[in-house]
Amino acid sequence: RKIPAFLMLFQVVLILPFFFFFFFLKLSNGIISSNGDLDPGSSKIKYILSGDGAGTIFVINDKTGDIHAMKRLDREEKAEYTLTAQAVDRDTNKPLEPPSEFIIKVQDINDNAPEFVDGPYHATVPEMSVVGTFVTKVTATDADDPVYGNSAKLVYSILEGQPYFSIEPHTAIIKTALPNMDREAKEEYFVVIQAKDMGGHMGGLSGTTTVTITLTDVNDNPPKFAQSKCHYPLDFETKKSYTLKVEAANIHIDPRFISGGPFKDTATVKIVVEDADEPPVFSSPTYLLEVHENAAINSVIGQVTAHDPDVSSSPIRFSIDRHTDLERQFNINAEDGKITLATPLDRETNMWHNITIESTFIQVIQIVSAVDKDDPKNGHYFLYSLLPEMVNNPNFTIKKNEDNTLSILAKHNGFSRQKQEVYLLPIIISDSGNPPMSSTSTLTIRVCGCSSDGIVQSCNVEAYVLPIGLSMGALIAILACIILLLVIVVLFVTLRRHKNEPLIIKDDEDVRENIIRYDDEGGGEEDTEAFDIATLQNPDGINGFLPRKDIKPDLQFMPRQGLAPVPNGVDVDEFINVRLHEADNDPTAPPYDSIQIYGYEGRGSAAGSLSSLESSASDSDQNFDYLSEWGPRFKRLGELYSVGESDKET
């Protein structure tokens, strides 16, 4: 707030008076005289300075006597300084003249702005006041010299708050500027006042303060109902009854009967508020819990609380709405509301978790009482408890009442008759005698069918009927199950049919079992035309599938690759060897002898060939007597060939 040119100006102002002072001082004391005793330019003269600020704020040139200010001077800190100057001998320090005292006054400049010491201000004024009504007065101070110049001459003005209020420029009195200001329209006004020095002219310094003006109410409005019919909610817990006094008066009275008054009557109306069951109320609508991401599982991270606003103060059970915690990362203690971690949390995966906590009353489903044939002096007092193994029963609990009865409470709702219809709750009842006696009674709780209004409809054993309305997801699931069941049935029938198929060809289709009867005797080469050898081929052998006739194999195997039809000119030995090799390497073949059916007649048998197909290549001089040695089965065959031999000899 200092002017930089102040030091230079002050030095000029200060040096000039001292120059004339010392000039006058020297002349008056004869330093400069006509007799020439003291030479003003003599080097033996030394000037010294003492007093306020000598040597620190003011210094003197010991040769010339010039005084200089070494620091900036602030009039508001010190307005004047008293100093003493003296001329002494430079060598002996003896005074050459008496000391001279003088006063330095610091001239003021405008370097301080006005200040409102008591601000900010608060004031009131009645609403609907006339123009010019006094509101309040503010005061500003200026540290500058109020006598010298206009540095401390203040002028007041309003910067904010017009046109509602005005201020007198010199007295700083604030008045109303508008009539009929209505509190119901606007109650509070914010006014900014400015004080400026230098008489308010340009270049002056200024300061501001605020004035909060509040309109006070006056009775300028008639009463008026907010609505024609008012509804007020009644709270049983706050006030249980109200007493009203109602008066009925006849305002139009016939003057002839005025002496029979008063024409009014009063009545007292008492309103009793009935208690209604209200839901639990949480201590806070929202809870903010902070947990470290490396917190251990089952560690408690917070707790919620709720209370019953009803007088009964029923116990409360807490649960988590799993629609808001689909991953089941949190658990809550149903009794005390403590929330614990169920799974580890990862801040990088999810920083916030919003879950909804539900509070419900533990429902009272029955009140039971006990009877004791004893008659104690102080009356009966029963103690109720559950069996130790039933303390943590998830379905029911008990609560002793003040009237010596017992309330049976359900810990949750949504009991299902399909899931469980009957519950057994053993209760231990003890008296207060000495010694105490106790007994155990089992309470049977049956789940009953109820309507949507909670009215019991039936508690008997009956067939349960599923609701007709099914969701789309349920219908799709049922349809998928039906389709799956049909596929299983089809596969089962197919496998059963395939399993029952015979492993050998039916008798009427097996050409190997067909008996071919010949009515004529073989005629050598002509026999090759009488019967086609392909008839003797095994059809199944051609396809490569050789089943057993003596036993049904336990294991099924894949058929081997079928062979191409064998032409008539193929070697029968080679064909049989191939079939024999396949049979020997068959993994499903039993380890005992079995009969293989071949598609061709054997060769190299000890009995020889039974066919006449190759009779043309023989000499027809075979002996068939050995057939009689084969047993009864070949007796007829032996007779036939024996007759043939006799005919030939004949």
Side-chain angles (χ1 to χ4, degrees):
R1 300 189 301 177
K2 309 300 181 183
I3 299 178
F6 169 72
L7 182 58
M8 182 180 296
L9 176 62
F10 181 79
Q11 289 176 348
V12 173
V13 173
L14 189 62
I15 291 174
L16 290 177
F18 275 95
F19 173 77
F20 292 106
F21 167 77
F22 280 105
F23 178 75
F24 173 78
L25 184 63
K26 292 177 181 180
L27 290 178
S28 63
N29 287 279
I31 297 177
I32 304 175
S33 60
S34 59
N35 57 15
D37 292 336
L38 293 177
D39 186 2
S42 175
S43 61
K44 293 183 179 182
I45 300 176
K46 178 181 179 182
Y47 300 97
I48 59 175
L49 185 67
S50 62
D52 296 339
T56 57
I57 300 177
F58 301 101
V59 294
I60 188 170
N61 191 321
D62 60 351
K63 295 181 180 180
T64 63
D66 297 335
I67 299 176
H68 299 270
M70 304 306 296
K71 295 181 179 179
R72 291 186 177 184
L73 303 180
D74 190 354
R75 190 201 67 84
E76 287 71 33
E77 293 181 2
K78 192 173 180 63
E80 60 182 30
Y81 298 86
T82 301
L83 298 173
T84 300
Q86 188 176 20
V88 299
D89 186 88
R90 184 176 297 274
D91 296 331
T92 62
N93 287 329
K94 291 182 179 182
L96 299 179
E97 56 184 15
S100 299
E101 183 181 88
F102 58 94
I103 298 175
I104 299 178
K105 292 185 177 181
V106 181
Q107 183 179 350
D108 184 37
I109 63 172
N110 187 22
D111 60 342
N112 291 281
E115 293 182 356
F116 291 91
V117 180
D118 299 328
Y121 296 86
H122 294 272
T124 59
V125 63
E127 65 173 336
M128 312 301 293
S129 297
V130 297
V131 176
T133 302
F134 174 84
V135 178
T136 188
K137 179 180 179 180
V138 296
T139 302
T141 59
D142 196 321
D144 292 328
D145 190 355
V147 179
Y148 179 80
N150 295 327
S151 299
K153 186 177 181 181
L154 304 180
V155 174
Y156 298 90
S157 62
I158 291 182
L159 299 182
E160 293 182 19
Q162 295 175 337
Y164 305 102
F165 301 94
S166 63
I167 189 170
E168 208 287 321
H170 300 288
T171 62
I173 295 176
I174 301 175
K175 301 179 181 179
T176 58
L178 282 181
N180 302 327
M181 287 188 291
D182 191 1
R183 185 192 66 86
E184 287 72 26
K186 186 176 182 180
E187 183 178 5
E188 193 173 79
Y189 294 85
F190 189 75
V191 180
V192 178
I193 304 297
Q194 175 185 266
K196 189 174 183 180
D197 59 15
M198 299 298 291
H201 293 90
M202 185 179 297
L205 303 178
S206 63
T208 60
T209 188
T210 60
V211 182
T212 302
I213 302 175
T214 303
L215 300 182
T216 57
D217 190 26
V218 297
N219 190 13
D220 59 337
N221 293 292
K224 184 178 181 181
F225 288 106
Q227 50 186 357
S228 59
K229 188 175 183 180
C230 301
H231 299 273
Y232 298 97
L234 302 179
D235 188 6
F236 176 82
E237 287 72 28
T238 303
K239 192 172 184 180
K240 297 179 177 58
S241 64
Y242 296 85
T243 302
L244 305 178
K245 186 176 181 180
V246 181
E247 181 181 273
N250 191 349
I251 60 176
H252 301 286
I253 304 173
D254 193 327
R256 296 175 298 171
F257 306 102
I258 194 170
S259 60
F263 291 88
K264 64 179 180 180
D265 192 14
T266 60
T268 301
V269 180
K270 186 175 182 180
I271 302 174
V272 179
V273 181
E274 296 182 351
D275 189 16
D277 190 12
E278 300 177 77
V281 178
F282 280 98
S283 59
S284 175
T286 58
Y287 293 84
L288 179 61
L289 306 179
E290 295 183 358
V291 59
H292 296 286
E293 62 177 342
N294 57 353
I297 297 178
N298 296 327
S299 60
V300 178
I301 62 174
Q303 185 178 12
V304 297
T305 57
H307 70 279
D308 183 5
D310 296 326
V311 178
S312 59
S313 185
S314 301
I316 298 174
R317 178 182 178 86
F318 300 95
S319 62
I320 297 178
D321 184 359
R322 292 302 178 183
H323 293 90
T324 61
D325 184 26
L326 298 177
E327 299 181 359
R328 294 183 176 270
Q329 295 181 288
F330 304 93
N331 291 327
I332 189 170
N333 189 304
E335 297 179 357
D336 57 15
K338 290 183 178 179
I339 303 174
T340 57
L341 285 180
T343 60
L345 300 180
D346 187 1
R347 182 181 181 277
E348 287 70 28
T349 302
N350 195 353
M351 183 183 303
W352 288 92
H353 298 270
N354 295 319
I355 61 176
T356 300
I357 305 298
E358 297 176 342
S359 61
T360 56
F361 291 131
I362 301 180
Q363 301 169 347
V364 179
I365 61 174
Q366 186 66 39
I367 297 179
V368 297
S369 59
V371 177
D372 194 339
K373 294 182 179 180
D374 296 329
D375 189 12
K377 181 178 180 180
N378 297 326
H380 291 289
Y381 182 80
F382 298 120
L383 298 176
Y384 302 92
S385 62
L386 295 175
L387 292 178
E389 59 270 18
M390 298 296 292
V391 173
N392 296 325
N393 186 346
N395 299 312
F396 304 98
T397 186
I398 59 176
K399 176 188 176 184
K400 188 179 183 304
N401 302 321
E402 296 180 356
D403 58 355
N404 221 18
T405 59
L406 181 69
S407 296
I408 309 300
L409 307 176
K411 288 187 175 181
H412 62 87
N413 51 15
F415 287 89
S416 175
R417 300 180 66 188
Q418 290 84 351
K419 184 178 180 180
Q420 186 172 350
E421 185 177 4
V422 178
Y423 295 87
L424 301 178
L425 188 65
I427 302 175
I428 302 175
I429 309 173
S430 303
D431 59 18
S432 57
N434 188 14
M437 305 293 292
S438 65
S439 65
T440 302
S441 300
T442 300
L443 180 65
T444 302
I445 303 174
R446 183 180 298 276
V447 180
C448 301
C450 301
S451 65
S452 58
D453 300 330
I455 301 176
V456 178
Q457 293 180 337
S458 174
C459 285
N460 299 324
V461 179
E462 59 185 14
Y464 302 119
V465 180
L466 294 176
I468 299 177
L470 295 176
S471 64
M472 182 61 67
L475 293 175
I476 294 176
I478 294 175
L479 183 60
C481 292
I482 294 175
I483 295 175
L484 181 61
L485 183 61
L486 291 176
V487 172
I488 294 175
V489 171
V490 172
L491 290 177
F492 178 77
V493 173
T494 303
L495 294 176
R496 186 69 178 270
R497 181 178 299 175
H498 181 72
K499 185 176 181 180
N500 292 334
E501 288 182 355
L503 298 179
I504 60 176
I505 301 178
K506 297 181 180 179
D507 294 342
D508 55 351
E509 295 179 357
D510 192 354
V511 296
R512 297 167 298 173
E513 300 293 333
N514 293 342
I515 300 176
I516 306 300
R517 296 180 178 275
Y518 297 92
D519 294 334
D520 54 345
E521 186 178 356
E525 292 295 337
E526 295 177 357
D527 261 353
T528 58
E529 299 176 359
F531 183 77
D532 189 0
I533 194 174
T535 308
L536 298 178
Q537 295 179 358
N538 183 2
D540 292 338
I542 296 175
N543 296 329
F545 186 75
L546 302 177
R548 309 285 181 181
K549 292 194 91 175
D550 58 334
I551 185 171
K552 182 178 178 180
D554 293 333
L555 299 175
Q556 298 182 1
F557 56 93
M558 295 301 296
R560 290 183 295 271
Q561 183 68 30
L563 301 176
V566 180
N568 295 337
V570 73
D571 189 356
V572 178
D573 287 340
E574 182 179 356
F575 179 82
I576 293 177
N577 290 332
V578 172
R579 290 293 186 266
L580 181 60
H581 177 73
E582 292 178 356
D584 291 340
N585 293 299
D586 187 0
T588 61
Y592 44 80
D593 294 337
S594 61
I595 300 175
Q596 296 282 354
I597 300 175
Y598 300 99
Y600 293 95
E601 186 177 357
R603 182 183 290 179
S605 174
S609 177
L610 300 180
S611 175
S612 60
L613 297 178
E614 297 180 354
S615 59
S616 59
S618 64
D619 297 335
S620 301
D621 48 358
Q622 301 182 25
N623 186 6
F624 299 100
D625 294 338
Y626 58 86
L627 294 177
S628 59
E629 299 176 358
W630 285 9
R633 295 184 179 182
F634 295 93
K635 181 178 180 181
R636 178 60 178 169
L637 184 61
E639 292 177 354
L640 292 175
Y641 278 88
S642 297
V643 173
E645 289 292 330
S646 60
D647 292 341
K648 180 180 178 182
E649 294 177 356
T650 303

